[in-house]
Amino acid sequence: MVIPVSILVLGVIGIIAAILLFIAAKKFHVYENPKIGEVESLLPGANCGGCGFSGCHAFAVECANAKSLDGLVCTSLDKTGMSNIAKILGLSASGSVKKVAVVKCGADCKLRKPENFYDGVKSCAIEASIYQGESDCVYGCLGNGDCVRACPFGAMKIDLSGRLAYVDFDKCTGCGKCVESCPRKLCELVPFSEKKPLVWVVCSNKDKGPVVMKECGLGCIGCSKCRKVCPTPAPVIESFLAYIRQEDCTSCGACIEACPRKCIKSSSPIITNCP
């Protein structure tokens, strides 16, 4: 007799608890636009913050409540992805341009002469705050991987033998985490198009040419040959350093061929193989 009574009591308690939970759910229910979930399902879920919001859910909420998608861009999505979001919301897709990161240093261990050895914490931020680095160039990549740890998509890589960062463009979403993490500001977001390769200068050294040649076997010396051969105004020289304006560049490759220092590259990963 005890067991049936116990079962009955537990059953009554369960029913009462279910009724109370139902009442609480109704009373405290917060309505959420169903389009938020649809938009969020199209997002990568990395919560990288590249869109300017705290995460993918916050971005989806903003999109669902917006009257226009102007200024709302998920850096992980291409135009097709943003167009799909626009269709869900019945809005026009934003005309934003996809961006990827490039590293403005290409000097591996064969091209820079180490003058000392850093044996501290493997952090670019810490090493940069302590001293200039292992070579004479105070502008180059320190190779400790702060950008790699910051990237939520695995797009940043370090060639360990060459102590040099490079970008996997297939994975890069342009979230900007690497830009924030690099103490020497070597990472930059630039417009990316599937129709033409990127062309950029893999150097950030602003010293004069003779000094650069002593410090690095690849550094830009500001000779202006790239500017002379380019049919567009894309190459500019500022502070003895060349820079390629992506909005003018046609990726013709003339500057790459003309550069005597070979410090202008196209969009293929900079992978070295130092002994």
Side-chain angles (χ1 to χ4, degrees), residues 18-257:
I19 293 172
L20 292 175
L21 287 172
F22 177 78
I23 294 172
K26 288 294 185 180
K27 184 176 180 60
F28 297 105
H29 172 70
V30 177
Y31 171 79
E32 183 173 83
N33 187 338
K35 291 184 178 180
I36 294 175
E38 294 182 54
V39 172
E40 191 170 2
S41 68
L42 299 179
L43 301 176
N47 299 315
C48 65
C51 58
F53 297 92
S54 59
C56 291
H57 181 73
F59 177 74
V61 171
E62 190 69 20
C63 288
N65 294 329
K67 295 181 179 180
S68 170
L69 291 180
D70 290 344
L72 293 173
V73 180
C74 172
T75 57
S76 302
L77 299 179
D78 55 16
K79 288 185 178 181
T80 301
M82 287 304 300
S83 294
N84 291 335
I85 290 177
K87 288 179 182 178
I88 291 174
L89 302 175
L91 301 173
S92 298
S94 173
S96 62
V97 177
K98 177 179 173 61
K99 292 185 176 182
V100 297
V102 294
V103 179
K104 297 183 293 183
C105 179
D108 62 20
C109 59
K110 293 180 179 179
L111 298 170
R112 62 175 187 260
K113 180 182 178 181
E115 298 295 336
N116 50 71
F117 176 71
Y118 174 70
D119 195 26
V121 179
K122 297 303 179 182
S123 165
C124 299
I126 293 176
E127 183 175 350
S129 67
I130 295 174
Y131 77 136
Q132 69 175 28
E134 295 183 351
S135 70
D136 286 335
C137 179
V138 298
Y139 301 93
C141 179
L142 295 169
N144 289 315
D146 287 19
C147 55
V148 174
R149 291 184 286 273
C151 180
F153 299 98
M156 296 300 302
K157 309 288 184 180
I158 294 288
D159 170 33
L160 297 179
S161 60
R163 295 287 301 278
L164 181 65
Y166 65 93
V167 182
D168 183 339
F169 294 112
D170 291 332
K171 295 181 179 179
C172 182
T173 66
C175 71
K177 293 295 184 181
C178 58
V179 177
E180 298 173 4
S181 67
C182 181
R184 290 191 165 177
K185 306 304 178 186
L186 296 179
C187 297
E188 179 186 3
L189 295 181
V190 297
F192 177 78
S193 172
E194 299 287 352
K195 298 179 180 179
K196 66 183 183 72
L198 288 173
V199 176
W200 79 103
V201 179
V202 288
C203 179
S204 297
N205 197 321
K206 296 181 180 180
D207 291 334
K208 293 182 178 181
V211 177
V212 174
M213 294 182 72
K214 292 180 180 179
E215 296 173 343
C216 177
L218 177 127
C220 176
I221 57 176
C223 66
S224 297
K225 288 187 177 181
C226 54
R227 187 169 60 182
K228 293 175 182 177
V229 299
C230 184
T232 76
V236 295
I237 307 294
E238 295 179 356
S239 301
F240 310 106
L241 178 65
Y243 178 80
I244 307 296
R245 291 187 296 203
Q246 298 299 323
E247 62 270 23
D248 295 320
C249 181
T250 60
S251 302
C252 68
C255 59
I256 298 176
E257 293 297 324

